[in-house]
């Protein structure tokens, strides 16, 4: 299996729109448009990705054997949190359980620590999302705390877990 991380500027907007329309949203924030259109892709690309790529974050499409399979990204925070970056990722169901996201997260974390002036990477995960927790743990993230009953997703109330990984000195 060949896994590539491709900058958004090189990815096909129709494939990106399909990914963000077809992903399982069970453990995602509600703000993501559905369906996710080509216009949504272009807006995200022009307003967030292009102005910040390589300076305030890294944004990558995950390709598996040449096919768009998901997204992984890191966005730097501001103010007193400016040396921290938030990690986010999604993967189409047909690629889950094959180590794709574990590899993608490992790669983007290494690239981020090399490219950006940050000390840590943070990830917030809904407590029942065991697969995401495992991805983080396999990549050296540590559980740093939880916010009890912090997420209301549909009819469910979840704890929010905070994971962190520090730059290796």
């Amino acid at each position: 299996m060949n896994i590539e991380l491709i900058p958004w500027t090189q990815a096909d907007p129709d494939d990106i729109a399909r990914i963000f329309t077809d992903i399982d949203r069970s453990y995602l924030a509600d703000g993501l448009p559905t369906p996710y259109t080509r216009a949504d892709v272009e807006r995200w690309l022009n307003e967030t990705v292009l102005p910040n790529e390589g300076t305030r974050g890294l944004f990558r499409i995950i390709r598996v054997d040449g096919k768009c399979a998901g997204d992984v990204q890191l966005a730097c925070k501001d103010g007193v949190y400016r040396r921290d970056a938030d990690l986010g990722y999604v993967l189409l169901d047909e690629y889950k359980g094959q180590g794709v996201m574990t590899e993608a997260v490992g790669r983007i974390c290494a690239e981020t620590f090399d490219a950006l002036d940050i000390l840590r990477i943070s990830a917030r995960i809904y407590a029942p999302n065991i697969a995401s927790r495992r991805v983080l743990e396999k990549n050296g993230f540590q559980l740093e705390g939880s916010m009890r009953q912090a997420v209301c997703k549909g009819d469910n109330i979840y704890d929010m877990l905070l994971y962190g990984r520090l730059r290796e000195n």
Side-chain angles (χ1 to χ4, degrees):
M1 177 178 344
N2 181 31
I3 300 170
E4 299 173 282
L5 300 186
I6 307 297
W8 272 66
T9 55
Q10 297 174 10
D12 179 34
D14 292 325
D15 283 337
I16 296 169
R18 183 183 57 80
I19 288 169
F20 281 95
T21 296
D22 292 349
I23 55 172
D24 178 0
R25 294 166 180 258
S26 300
Y27 300 121
L28 296 179
D30 290 335
L32 196 63
T34 185
Y36 202 83
T37 66
R38 186 180 184 130
D40 294 319
V41 172
E42 291 173 2
R43 184 174 29 262
W44 175 251
L45 181 64
N46 292 320
E47 294 175 9
T48 302
V49 175
L50 294 178
N52 294 299
E53 175 62 39
T55 58
R56 303 274 311 130
L58 298 177
F59 307 86
R60 303 291 181 263
I61 292 299
I62 303 166
R63 284 195 183 146
V64 176
D65 296 331
K67 296 179 182 174
C68 288
D71 167 79
V72 61
Q73 53 190 272
L74 279 140
C76 294
K77 298 178 184 178
D78 294 315
V80 296
Y81 304 106
R82 67 187 170 272
R83 303 288 301 277
D84 188 5
D86 277 329
L87 171 66
Y89 47 86
V90 296
L91 191 66
L92 291 171
D93 284 347
E94 60 259 36
Y95 297 98
K96 290 181 178 178
Q98 302 174 44
V100 172
M101 192 54 73
T102 298
E103 185 169 335
V105 166
R107 285 188 198 176
I108 200 163
C109 287
E111 186 177 349
T112 299
F113 282 129
D114 285 345
L116 304 177
D117 185 28
I118 63 168
L119 298 174
R120 63 173 283 124
I121 297 171
S122 297
R124 290 172 290 161
I125 305 294
Y126 301 179
N129 191 347
I130 303 301
S132 272
R133 293 169 69 175
R134 290 294 301 138
V135 164
L136 296 172
E137 291 163 0
K138 287 178 182 179
N139 278 291
F141 283 79
Q142 294 182 7
L143 178 61
E144 296 180 334
S146 66
M147 297 169 54
R148 295 176 297 144
Q149 298 183 5
V151 176
C152 298
K153 179 71 175 178
D155 294 333
N156 299 306
I157 303 207
Y158 300 129
D159 291 352
M160 174 69 74
L161 304 179
L162 174 64
Y163 279 82
R165 177 176 166 183
L166 301 178
R167 175 188 295 275
E168 296 173 5
N169 294 327

